[in-house]
């Protein structure tokens, strides 16, 4: 009998995770500092040096809590960085990365690193750097295929054709919350993320994009939107499995710095 596909994931907080498949370390949306812009890290330590050990980096979209130039500049200059097409023109600060291996891609393009393929897939989210920005680029998710198939959703809501674009996956890293009071358009809450896990036939799912950053001065505002989305996602997935004749997904809530092998 063939061995089950295996993949390791470490969640560093927010949308930053290290996925290890076929010996290749894929780092997602790295924010490796105590804060970014008006946000401060309220839970978990600043990611350790292990978070900077990457064979490739993927960046889903332009928002500064995902495309954090300071964190990207902390990485080994030889590390390839995969970003949406148009990022360099839209974000002048990326000039700090000049001379590095920055690869701009669009939906459907595949980047091969070692024993894995990284395929860009659609996302439904704001493609601007900030609300007043003139430039917009197409936000992305990524499917990492090695011995297993891992979907890193970036920041997205459910979108038409999501199941077909992404395909079945062994592990899904799904956003379930935000970094402040209220969720705007282009986000999933815990229930919608659980529905997405079911649509994708994910064997395992880890909630991300919650319980890490919060705006300065608002630490006492909307506490129910900071930490609870992770547990709500696990309960929503579990409830869906109980109601199904063929439960598929097992949800795992991690704490920042924790690892999981599936």
């Amino acid at each position: 009998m063939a061995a089950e596909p295996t993949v390791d994931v470490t969640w560093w907080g927010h949308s930053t995770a290290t996925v290890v498949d076929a010996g290749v370390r894929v780092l997602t949306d790295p924010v490796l500092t105590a804060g970014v812009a008006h946000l401060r890290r309220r839970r978990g330590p600043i990611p350790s040096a292990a978070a900077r050990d990457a064979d490739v980096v993927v960046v889903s979209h332009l928002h500064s809590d995902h495309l954090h130039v300071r964190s990207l500049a902390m990485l080994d200059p030889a590390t390839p960085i995969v970003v949406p097409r148009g990022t360099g023109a839209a974000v002048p600060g990326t000039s700090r990365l000049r001379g590095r291996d920055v690869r701009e891609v669009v939906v459907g393009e595949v980047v091969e690193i070692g024993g894995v393929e990284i395929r860009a897939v659609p996302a439904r989210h704001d493609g601007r750097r900030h609300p007043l920005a003139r430039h917009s680029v197409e936000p992305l998710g990524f499917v990492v295929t090695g011995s297993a198939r891992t979907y890193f959703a970036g920041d997205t809501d459910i979108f038409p054709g999501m199941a077909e674009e992404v395909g079945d996956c062994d592990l899904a890293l799904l956003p379930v919350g935000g970094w402040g009071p209220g969720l705007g358009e282009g986000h999933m809450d815990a229930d919608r993320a659980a529905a997405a896990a079911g649509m994708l036939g994910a064997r395992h799912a880890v909630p991300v994009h919650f319980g890490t950053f919060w705006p300065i001065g608002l630490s006492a505002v909307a506490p129910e939107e900071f930490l609870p989305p992770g547990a709500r996602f696990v309960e929503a997935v579990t409830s869906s499995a109980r109601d199904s004749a063929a439960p598929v997904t097992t949800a795992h809530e991690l704490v920042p710095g924790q690892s999981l092998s599936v």
Side-chain angles (χ1 to χ4, degrees):
M1 178 182 293
E4 287 278 331
T6 59
V7 62
D8 299 325
V9 59
T10 301
W11 182 51
W12 303 108
H14 203 55
S15 288
T16 306
T18 298
V19 175
V20 184
D21 192 338
V24 176
R25 298 176 63 85
V26 182
L27 178 62
T28 68
D29 286 359
V31 178
L32 307 176
T33 57
V36 52
H38 63 298
L39 307 178
R40 289 297 176 267
R41 193 178 294 268
R42 282 190 53 206
R43 185 173 67 124
I46 296 173
S48 69
R52 300 194 294 273
D53 181 10
D55 297 302
V56 62
V57 178
V58 296
V59 175
S60 60
H61 64 287
L62 300 189
H63 290 165
S64 59
D65 57 317
H66 296 261
L67 173 62
H68 189 227
V69 177
R70 180 181 167 196
S71 292
L72 293 173
M74 295 167 63
L75 303 175
D76 186 321
T79 306
I81 303 171
V82 182
V83 301
R85 178 78 53 84
T87 292
V91 184
T94 56
S95 61
R96 290 183 62 181
L97 307 176
R98 187 174 291 116
R100 296 183 179 232
D101 183 6
V102 179
R103 309 183 189 186
E104 298 194 357
V105 300
V106 296
V107 168
E109 286 194 70
V110 174
V111 174
E112 296 186 14
I113 302 289
V116 306
E117 292 185 346
I118 301 171
R119 176 170 57 90
V121 297
R124 180 181 174 187
H125 196 65
D126 186 356
R128 298 170 296 176
R129 179 67 163 173
H130 55 78
L132 299 180
R134 291 180 301 166
H135 295 280
S136 180
V137 304
E138 185 178 28
L140 302 173
F142 297 94
V143 176
V144 179
T145 303
S147 63
R149 297 184 77 248
T150 298
Y151 171 47
F152 169 61
D155 217 355
T156 188
D157 196 355
I158 294 171
F159 54 86
M162 186 178 197
E164 292 75 21
E165 290 282 358
V166 174
D168 291 345
C169 51
D170 299 293
L171 172 65
L173 308 180
L174 298 173
V176 301
W179 49 252
L183 279 178
E185 184 180 355
H187 294 88
M188 292 189 287
D189 61 12
D191 289 329
R192 288 183 68 76
M199 289 169 48
L200 299 172
R203 292 175 51 237
H204 299 274
V206 172
V208 300
H209 204 271
F210 80 102
T212 308
F213 294 110
W214 210 247
I216 297 170
L218 296 183
S219 59
V221 178
E224 73 282 358
E225 296 186 41
F226 180 69
L227 194 56
R232 289 178 188 149
F233 172 75
V234 173
E235 175 56 30
V237 170
T238 304
S239 297
S240 297
R242 283 197 296 258
D243 296 338
S244 171
V248 173
T249 306
T250 301
H252 310 264
E253 182 183 4
L254 305 180
V255 299
Q258 186 177 6
S259 300
L260 172 73
S261 295
V262 297

